[in-house]
Amino acid sequence: MSTRPPPPRLSVIPAMRSPRVLVLRRGPTRLFHVVLWNPVSGETQFGSWFHGRLFAERCDISPDGEWMVYSAEGAHRAYKPTGNRLWTGLARPPWLQTVAAWPSDEYTGSGGGFFLSSGELVIQTVSAPSIDESMRRAFPFAIRYQDPWSAATSPSPRDRFERSGWRSFRSAQCQGNADWPDDARRSQPSSRHPVLLATFKSRSRRGRGCYEFALDPKSPVVNSLVDDAAWDNAGALLIARGGRVERYTLDDLEREAPSAVLDLNNLEPPA
């Protein structure tokens, strides 16, 4: 009797000024699939399959949904443009083919980046290469390098989440411990919205934070099976669980039923 494989794990990164949502599908463990979803129009673009690892917390999509920056680790060999098994790529989603690439540090795990605004992309690297004029002219945004491990780093990787409406705080379990960093995030697009809470649970070998999500006031819509959650540009709630992405408007939350669903189960890479 064959056992049913577990559902893929999903990460959702909504564009801030577009209904487009970047979805990173992981499953089996070292196989990723990149998908670009527009839940308003219903358009779904299935892009690259990748053997290796994509670090979701170091990936981002531009506010208009036209560009993505990602942090990757090759499964078997170095990426030729950088000569490194870890690299940061700038690409057109949902494809990982790079229009620019930078090596990442294999020992510190630096890499990836985030769009601070429509006009600025921050690349995290411990050894910043020079930016030539051709690169400055090639993209509709400025590119800035930063050392993610510098105490003076500004903006910091946390700014990606703050740009997306998240605010950090300490959960009740860490109150009174001055040495413990903020371990939770909250996000609320408006006073009409419930508060989306993300509480830190654990950290993977590569530094990926794993969070438990909830709504305040409590709702059965968000439960312990949620892989990822975020508000989109229109203030609708995106929930990833069980290999599906569900979109809830405020009316949908009242009905406890999504108005748009993207099912990414039972997908196979092309032969």
Side-chain angles (χ1 to χ4, degrees), residues 28 44 50 64 106 112 122 142 171-173 177 191 193 206 214 219 244 260:
T44 305
F50 177 70
D64 61 6
E106 298 205 34
V122 177
S171 66
Q173 64 185 5
N177 187 345
S191 59
H193 287 75
R206 286 289 188 180
S219 167
R244 309 191 330 161

Side-chain angles (χ1 to χ4, degrees), residues 13-271:
I13 308 175
M16 290 295 97
R17 297 182 182 175
S18 166
R20 293 174 176 175
V21 181
L22 179 66
V23 184
L24 304 180
R25 178 191 189 273
R26 179 184 181 184
T29 302
R30 295 185 69 82
L31 180 63
F32 285 78
H33 187 31
V34 184
V35 179
L36 191 63
W37 183 42
N38 185 329
V40 176
S41 68
E43 180 185 11
T44 305
Q45 300 177 52
F46 298 94
S48 296
W49 289 86
F50 177 70
H51 290 272
R53 185 165 296 179
L54 295 174
F55 302 99
E57 286 193 337
R58 302 180 204 162
C59 299
D60 200 10
I61 186 171
S62 62
D64 61 6
E66 294 288 339
W67 298 86
M68 70 175 290
V69 60
Y70 65 90
S71 178
E73 178 183 23
H76 305 296
R77 56 185 180 274
Y79 180 56
K80 289 183 179 179
T82 65
N84 201 324
R85 282 189 61 186
L86 280 91
W87 71 92
T88 296
L90 179 62
R92 292 281 199 171
W95 304 101
L96 296 179
Q97 181 177 0
T98 57
V99 293
W102 301 265
S104 298
D105 189 287
E106 298 205 34
Y107 298 100
T108 64
S110 66
F114 55 96
F115 288 88
L116 192 61
S117 66
S118 298
E120 185 173 12
L121 169 63
V122 177
I123 298 294
Q124 296 173 313
T125 178
V126 294
S127 55
S130 61
I131 305 176
D132 60 34
E133 286 303 314
S134 61
M135 181 174 289
R136 293 183 189 276
R137 294 191 299 267
F139 308 113
F141 41 77
I143 297 177
R144 191 203 317 183
Y145 298 123
Q146 68 168 206
D147 181 352
W149 304 109
S150 170
T153 291
S154 179
S156 71
R158 175 180 289 182
D159 288 336
R160 175 200 139 181
F161 298 99
E162 292 184 351
R163 178 217 64 195
S164 302
W166 290 99
R167 297 295 179 264
S168 298
F169 68 99
R170 292 189 186 186
S171 66
Q173 64 185 5
C174 294
Q175 292 293 336
N177 187 345
D179 296 327
W180 191 265
D182 294 345
D183 69 325
R185 300 173 183 152
R186 67 190 309 276
S187 178
Q188 185 181 27
S190 76
S191 59
R192 296 176 56 239
H193 287 75
V195 177
L196 178 61
L197 300 170
T199 305
F200 179 80
K201 292 194 303 181
S202 62
R203 190 169 296 281
S204 69
R205 180 176 62 88
R206 286 289 188 180
R208 183 185 189 276
C210 297
Y211 292 85
E212 182 175 351
F213 294 89
L215 284 179
D216 183 16
K218 288 185 177 181
S219 167
V221 167
V222 181
N223 55 32
S224 61
L225 300 178
V226 172
D227 292 330
D228 200 5
W231 301 105
D232 70 10
N233 75 308
L237 181 62
L238 300 170
I239 292 178
R241 66 176 152 210
R244 309 191 330 161
V245 183
E246 304 165 357
R247 184 179 189 263
Y248 294 83
T249 64
L250 289 179
D251 289 339
D252 297 337
L253 288 174
E254 290 287 336
R255 296 185 297 109
E256 299 179 5
S259 53
V261 175
L262 175 67
D263 192 336
L264 297 178
N265 288 287
N266 304 315
L267 298 182
E268 295 289 342

